[in-house]
Amino acid sequence: MSDNVSDTEKSGVEDAYYEQARYVRNGKYEPLLAEKDSTRVTIDDDESPLPADLTRDTLELPGLSEPELARHYTRLSQMIYGIDTGPYPLGSCTMKYNPKFTEDVAALESGAVHPGRSPETIQGTLELLYRLQGYLAQIGGMDAVTLQPPAGAAGEFVGIRVANAYHEHNDEGHRDEVIIPESAHGTNFATAALGGYNVVSLPSNDEGRVDLEALEAALSEQTAALMLTNPNTLGLFERDITEIAEMVHDVGGLLYYDGANLNALLGRARPGDMGFDVMHYNVHKTFATPHGGGGPGAGPVGVVDELAPFLPAPRVREVENEYELFDPERTIGHVHGYQGNWLVLIKAFAYIARLGDEGLLDASAKAVLNANYLASQIDYEVPYGPFHHEFVASAGEQDAADVAKRMLDFGVHPPTTKWPEIVSEALMTEPTEVESKETLDLLASAFRRASASDAETLETAPSRTAAGRIDQTSAARNPRLSWHALDEE
Amino acid sequence: MHGTRTSGSPYAPHTDDDTAAMLEAIGADSVDDLFDIPEGVWFDDEFGIPARSERETRALVRRTLEKNESLVELLGRGHYGYYVPSLVDHLADRSEYLTSYTQYQPETSQGFLQALFEYQSLLVELTGLEIANCSMYDAATALGEAATLAERVRETSGHRVLVPDTILEGRRSTLENYVAGTDLEVETYPTWEGTVDLVDLERQIDEDVVMLYAENPTVSGSIEPNLSEVGSLASSSDALFVLGSDPIALSLLQRPVDVGADVVVGDASVLGLPTSYGMGLGLFATRESYLRQVPGRLVGVSEDDQDRRAFTLTLQTREQHIRRERATSNICTNQAWVALRTAMHAAMLGPDGLVDLAKRDVVRAESLAERLNELDGITAPANDRRHFREFVAHVDDSARAIARALEERGYAVHVLDDDHIQCCISGVTEADIGGFVAAISEVTQ
């Protein structure tokens, strides 16, 4: 002991602290706000500006000082792994570095306007939206773009609703099927079902790509659309895309592009040129706006000319150097109360404007280089290939979820696990262009160390995170979803 | 560092030597060789977007946004600007919050999960309902999800969804898109003096109604005087009673659970976000009996392998990434970071601050209405309901002309039709209100 406080005294002080915050069972834990302080306010009839029958009686919530809150949320932030903490190779999620200057750009006060403002008084906002529409149309090879959808899945929904409106308009309302490859994002299936469609699941061929014979069998007069991403979730380019587009178009269906993997194609291929009729862009992925722990995102939708009249209202257009809002002729209406997630859109605009042609082209080049390099450096088997921006390894005899937990112990975030199901014990890995060779080597080492771990170590990992392995089953069996539920214990 | 950094993306760290070493390890000659794109679909053209420095990009955005006129916004109608404390910006902008993904690995996401759990808890206290999810996109999409929930949980058949005739166009239209794939049909019921017309509503309700939607306060800022009766009408026909509101209004107004609400939807970003051109945060709270049918993500409490309390996403078997076309909703990315900001803002205010803010919204709206009512040519409010933060005013001259003249003097108000404007006090200071009264008295002279 080099300090003046004896062991006993020191632990006495700590005990007192823990006693005070009695819910802390381990020094790493931060109590809930309500466990630190809970204040009940009574709505006093005499002081209320409203009669008692219009008001509640009481409100009970935490009532802490600003310094206490600063510490609470700072401590919580220290128990979170983000892309600024280390590599985050979540396949299909495209977790790339988020430039800081875009935060400052989004915080410009003139950008914080009310959606009820008259268009004449917010020409700057409308001009930025208009220019972003143009950038996205160029990048996707599309004719018209709406910025309204607040996330990728919301963009898918617009795509499906637009397809529906288009078919209805052409007296083809009988089309009630949407074809989706088995390896597609879960949102595709859920979106098609929300749109009222029956889902026809499409198996992959033994190369991991669309099976043209299976597609032929699935296509019919009932087909409204095929939802596809390219490269697909295995990181493989659908080489037969031109033929696929022809087959879908021949039966009168539309081809939908899921933009989740667009980062692999920037400047090298465009969905519009491949024959896609409608697509969404995940700007929070491809154009590096922060994911914010699960959102907000933005999912603009691009379409070819024939579908433009059906896009959501309103859109932005330029008329004689003025920007105005307009409702497309046969619009499906709104998919969001106002104009979508402005703060995300402006960051995407700044990102694209910063990179330009040169930067976008380089982003896809380095993303593909990094994925191929990392795939070549790990011990797990990587079926299929050649890869674009991501690859799916198989953990083989190991449980992919255990492998992920073990990788946490090596200071990296693990890949997406157990999906797509066509690879057993899948480890779906997407390093993106922002990782250096040195970091990729660190990731490869984490993969190798996990693959060499014995069964017991795998099953009990992680051991270096704020929490140990969490019991998911008990959480679902006995749902406790608010601090009020904890009070009852 | 070996070699020079290659040009292109400013965020790709590769040097020439790195690239060469990596290509060699892969066994490829060039990066272009790695692209497995057939000849016919190679893009050989350019976008024509020039690369810019960070400084130039910031200047471009600033220059463009400076074209927005600087106006004092007395605007509301479903989207509200409130002052957001600096603490919220500084804490929420910590990069661990901003740059993390959905908490699929809970062991290394405990902080965010706890913050979202606290957000859910806040909504449970405000609504009195047992559960809240950790966000939808905005009020309109939350309303759409409520309707699809109603279709799933209501045991009897039926297809009518009733909404007030004053509902915002964006909300109604979004709702209609959400129910387009179901048998549900959206109908409006009449309002009178800005609130529900109970007599007409009763006539319209039958067992075919699966969902009844009302708002408190209403879009015109009126406080519903008979909310319990509306709830009773819904339960009499076994319809789901969905109430639209927001966290600030709920701090003072009747608790939804006490008026029979089955679901509360609305925009929770009244706390935590500035006006943001309509960006929102969908509030969604409901009864525990509907738990397995709830859309969106839920954070729950569990234990880790040392029996310590730990947080995790739970009941994910409802969600699209597991159940695909049988999921309760297609939502995946939500508004998590906005929910974090809302929880922070609410915590910053505390229960006293929230109740005081809500009371102030009543007092200031009524005070502004009184001041406008003293002017010639204006009747404010246009109905005799009590008001929360905003109200409709009748104007004798053209409402459009008045609004235009106000814009020239630096103030923005809503124009409802030729004879009505709407004014909201949430985003403005007392000095702004003084200036506004002076301006409108000039304009209506």
Side-chain angles (χ1 to χ4, degrees):
Chain A
M1 285 296 296
S2 57
D3 57 23
N4 298 325
V5 184
S6 74
D7 269 352
T8 331
E9 279 174 298
K10 191 176 175 187
S11 73
V13 170
E14 287 177 354
D15 286 349
Y17 173 74
Y18 292 145
E19 182 61 28
Q20 189 185 3
R22 63 188 188 284
Y23 297 90
V24 179
R25 273 170 276 178
N26 173 309
K28 285 185 275 192
Y29 279 80
E30 172 67 8
L32 290 163
L33 289 171
E35 292 166 345
K36 295 182 170 188
D37 176 273
S38 190
T39 309
R40 180 187 291 264
V41 173
T42 303
I43 314 288
D44 188 333
D45 290 350
D46 297 338
E47 290 173 19
S48 172
L50 294 172
D53 64 342
L54 295 182
T55 63
R56 63 190 294 144
D57 300 330
T58 60
L59 179 67
E60 184 173 343
L61 288 170
L64 287 91
S65 69
E66 178 164 342
E68 287 171 308
L69 288 170
R71 286 183 186 154
H72 175 69
Y73 284 108
T74 301
R75 284 178 192 143
L76 291 188
S77 76
Q78 289 165 342
M79 292 189 278
I80 306 169
Y81 189 101
I83 189 72
D84 283 1
T85 312
Y88 215 129
L90 269 180
S92 231
C93 300
T94 314
M95 286 293 287
K96 54 169 132 173
Y97 172 73
N98 309 126
K100 302 306 166 206
F101 85 98
T102 62
E103 296 307 310
D104 295 335
V105 161
L108 294 175
E109 287 195 356
S110 47
V113 297
H114 191 282
R117 286 272 290 262
S118 64
E120 304 82 57
T121 66
I122 51 166
Q123 286 292 299
T125 296
L126 296 181
E127 181 179 339
L128 269 184
L129 293 174
Y130 181 79
R131 292 179 71 163
L132 180 58
Q133 284 178 187
Y135 282 169
L136 293 177
Q138 265 285 15
I139 291 166
M142 291 284 156
D143 296 319
V145 170
T146 172
L147 302 174
Q148 194 175 102
E156 291 174 25
F157 187 51
V158 168
I160 286 299
R161 292 289 306 130
V162 163
N164 180 277
Y166 169 80
H167 289 311
E168 291 278 347
H169 178 74
N170 293 327
D171 297 324
E172 299 262 326
H174 63 275
R175 294 178 182 273
D176 59 358
E177 291 178 354
V178 170
I179 304 172
I180 307 173
E182 276 172 3
S183 63
H185 299 103
T187 46
N188 287 183
F189 301 88
T191 298
L194 176 60
Y197 285 99
N198 298 319
V199 173
V200 178
S201 195
L202 190 65
S204 308
N205 63 18
D206 51 18
E207 288 186 331
R209 296 182 171 80
V210 169
D211 184 326
L212 293 187
E213 282 179 27
L215 176 60
E216 185 69 55
L219 287 167
S220 74
E221 290 292 305
Q222 304 301 112
T223 305
L226 166 65
M227 296 179 86
L228 197 64
T229 186
N230 194 16
N232 65 27
T233 52
L234 291 168
L236 312 176
F237 196 87
E238 297 285 356
R239 295 194 198 104
D240 302 319
I241 188 61
T242 310
E243 197 174 350
I244 292 170
E246 265 177 38
M247 288 165 71
V248 173
H249 292 152
D250 280 350
V251 299
L254 295 171
L255 194 56
Y256 180 90
Y257 183 80
D258 181 323
N261 298 343
L262 186 65
N263 196 47
L265 296 186
L266 294 171
R268 290 172 195 271
R270 305 193 302 175
D273 301 338
M274 298 179 207
F276 286 94
D277 304 294
V278 47
M279 69 175 289
H280 80 261
Y281 307 76
N282 297 80
V283 302
H284 48 296
K285 298 183 183 188
T286 314
F287 305 116
T289 64
H291 285 248
V301 168
V303 295
V304 295
D305 272 332
E306 293 89 324
L307 297 177
F310 303 95
L311 284 177
R315 294 183 57 220
V316 186
R317 71 181 166 201
E318 184 185 6
V319 180
E320 292 170 4
N321 297 322
E322 292 275 310
Y323 299 91
E324 60 178 37
L325 295 170
F326 74 104
D327 290 358
E329 198 184 345
R330 287 184 278 279
T331 179
I332 59 165
H334 283 250
V335 291
H336 185 272
Y338 302 96
Q339 298 294 335
N341 284 337
W342 158 259
L343 292 178
V344 180
L345 295 169
I346 185 176
K347 290 175 202 180
F349 174 85
Y351 180 85
I352 297 171
R354 168 93 175 86
L355 268 68
D357 282 54
E358 188 188 32
L360 294 169
L361 193 69
D362 190 54
S364 67
K366 300 291 166 50
V368 171
L369 174 67
N370 280 2
N372 280 274
Y373 175 71
L374 183 57
S376 74
Q377 300 297 303
I378 68 173
D379 288 347
Y380 292 113
E381 189 203 343
V382 185
Y384 308 115
F387 312 106
H388 272 218
H389 61 302
E390 67 189 1
F391 61 89
V392 182
S394 171
E397 299 299 307
Q398 293 179 332
D399 184 301
D402 288 344
V403 170
K405 300 301 180 200
R406 183 70 179 133
M407 286 180 75
L408 289 174
D409 281 338
F410 306 129
V412 300
H413 197 283
T416 301
T417 59
K418 306 237 182 198
W419 184 77
E421 286 158 6
I422 38 180
V423 173
S424 76
E425 299 304 328
L427 296 165
M428 185 190 205
T429 312
E430 181 181 8
T432 82
E433 69 273 15
V434 304
E435 302 305 344
S436 66
K437 178 175 179 293
E438 189 182 13
T439 303
L440 297 172
D441 289 339
L442 174 78
L443 270 171
S445 153
F447 271 106
R448 283 197 298 270
R449 291 168 76 185
S451 73
S453 298
D454 61 53
E456 197 200 329
T457 312
L458 280 177
E459 283 164 21
T460 55
S463 58
R464 296 184 193 172
T465 39
R469 184 77 69 101
I470 293 170
D471 185 350
Q472 306 280 349
T473 314
S474 91
R477 199 167 286 160
N478 173 28
R480 290 166 293 171
L481 306 173
S482 73
W483 60 49
H484 301 80
L486 295 180
D487 288 345
E488 290 154 16
E489 288 179 354
Chain B
M1 183 181 277
H2 304 285
T4 49
R5 264 196 76 243
T6 47
S7 64
S9 165
Y11 312 113
H14 306 63
T15 63
D16 293 341
D17 286 0
D18 288 338
T19 303
M22 290 162 77
L23 285 170
E24 194 182 340
I26 300 163
D29 291 335
S30 76
V31 175
D32 275 353
D33 287 353
L34 301 174
F35 283 84
D36 184 27
I37 300 173
E39 197 66 28
V41 293
W42 262 104
F43 177 67
D44 284 328
D45 206 352
E46 288 180 352
F47 300 140
I49 306 170
R52 298 169 175 88
S53 69
E54 186 174 310
R55 179 179 181 158
E56 286 168 336
T57 311
R58 284 180 68 151
L60 166 68
V61 175
R62 184 182 297 112
R63 261 198 326 272
T64 310
L65 287 177
E66 275 169 2
K67 296 177 188 174
N68 286 346
E69 285 174 35
S70 176
L71 296 181
V72 174
E73 297 175 339
L74 289 99
L75 299 171
R77 284 184 74 76
H79 189 77
Y80 303 97
Y82 282 89
Y83 176 73
V84 179
S86 291
L87 180 76
V88 174
D89 282 333
H90 281 267
L91 291 176
D93 279 354
R94 287 183 67 87
S95 71
E96 297 89 342
Y97 288 121
L98 207 48
T99 73
S100 58
Y101 197 71
T102 302
Q103 300 75 26
Y104 291 136
Q105 298 293 343
E107 293 84 358
T108 196
S109 315
Q110 284 298 297
F112 216 128
L113 287 163
Q114 182 170 334
L116 292 174
F117 181 84
E118 306 214 53
Y119 165 80
Q120 291 175 179
S121 305
L122 162 77
L123 295 186
V124 165
E125 169 63 21
L126 285 169
T127 60
L129 295 167
E130 294 101 345
I131 51 172
N133 74 16
C134 59
S135 82
M136 311 261 75
Y137 307 127
D138 73 342
T141 58
L143 177 61
E145 298 272 10
T148 60
L149 175 79
E151 205 208 16
R152 288 194 297 276
V153 302
R154 193 175 182 260
E155 285 169 11
T156 50
S157 62
H159 65 274
R160 299 170 64 206
V161 170
L162 296 186
V163 302
D165 60 7
T166 49
I167 190 171
L168 287 164
E169 172 57 22
R171 274 182 203 171
R172 175 178 175 151
S173 183
T174 302
L175 170 63
E176 285 181 341
N177 268 314
Y178 267 78
V179 302
T182 70
D183 293 330
L184 301 179
E185 276 171 34
V186 180
E187 286 175 42
T188 55
Y189 62 83
T191 52
W192 188 69
E193 296 252 302
T195 58
V196 175
D197 185 331
L198 281 174
V199 178
D200 276 343
L201 178 61
E202 187 166 9
R203 253 183 239 133
Q204 224 169 316
I205 280 225
D206 62 24
E207 61 186 18
D208 211 17
V209 176
V210 293
M211 175 177 139
L212 173 63
Y213 175 62
E215 293 174 343
N216 192 39
T218 70
V219 67
S220 56
S222 303
I223 297 170
E224 282 287 352
N226 303 305
L227 215 45
S228 294
E229 286 82 345
V230 179
S232 300
L233 279 179
S235 63
S236 72
S237 76
D238 194 26
L240 215 64
F241 180 29
V242 178
L243 184 63
S245 194
D246 68 79
I248 294 177
L250 289 171
S251 303
L252 178 65
L253 303 184
Q254 284 174 290
R255 276 202 320 167
V257 71
D258 295 334
V259 297
D262 299 297
V263 182
V264 177
V265 297
D267 207 313
S269 70
V270 290
L271 293 173
L273 270 194
T275 45
S276 307
Y277 196 48
M279 180 160 152
L281 168 61
L283 180 171
F284 196 99
T286 188
R287 298 181 185 280
E288 195 157 24
S289 47
Y290 303 140
L291 178 58
R292 308 274 158 179
Q293 294 297 330
V294 166
R297 292 192 186 123
L298 297 167
V299 176
V301 167
S302 186
E303 288 78 35
D304 73 1
D305 55 7
Q306 291 160 64
D307 291 329
R308 298 175 301 193
R309 185 168 74 195
F311 301 91
T312 181
L313 296 178
T314 193
L315 297 166
Q316 292 182 72
T317 49
R318 301 165 297 109
E319 293 190 66
Q320 43 71 34
H321 66 282
I322 307 242
R323 199 175 282 180
R324 308 212 306 194
E325 67 265 38
R326 297 188 311 285
T328 52
S329 163
N330 77 332
I331 193 169
C332 181
T333 292
N334 58 15
Q335 302 285 107
W337 183 72
V338 189
L340 170 78
R341 294 181 62 100
T342 295
M344 286 174 170
H345 192 168
M348 174 87 185
L349 289 169
D352 304 278
L354 278 165
V355 171
D356 283 350
L357 182 59
K359 284 178 177 172
R360 224 163 51 108
D361 274 354
V362 173
V363 173
R364 293 175 80 215
E366 293 189 344
S367 146
L368 174 59
E370 277 170 25
R371 291 172 74 177
L372 295 188
N373 204 41
E374 285 166 10
L375 303 177
D376 288 340
I378 303 185
T379 311
N383 63 51
D384 65 1
R385 297 284 177 254
R386 301 302 300 263
H387 287 83
F388 193 88
R389 109 186 117 200
E390 61 190 325
F391 57 87
V392 173
H394 180 280
V395 286
D396 292 347
D397 293 335
S398 159
R400 257 171 209 87
I402 289 172
R404 211 169 296 126
L406 282 170
E407 272 180 7
E408 281 166 18
R409 288 163 176 76
Y411 299 90
V413 297
H414 292 286
V415 177
L416 303 187
D417 55 38
D418 280 352
D419 309 315
H420 295 92
I421 60 170
Q422 187 167 330
C423 308
C424 177
I425 52 79
S426 67
V428 298
T429 64
E430 281 307 309
D432 291 334
I433 289 180
F436 171 67
V437 172
I440 198 167
S441 62
E442 236 177 81
V443 163
T444 53
Q445 283 291 308

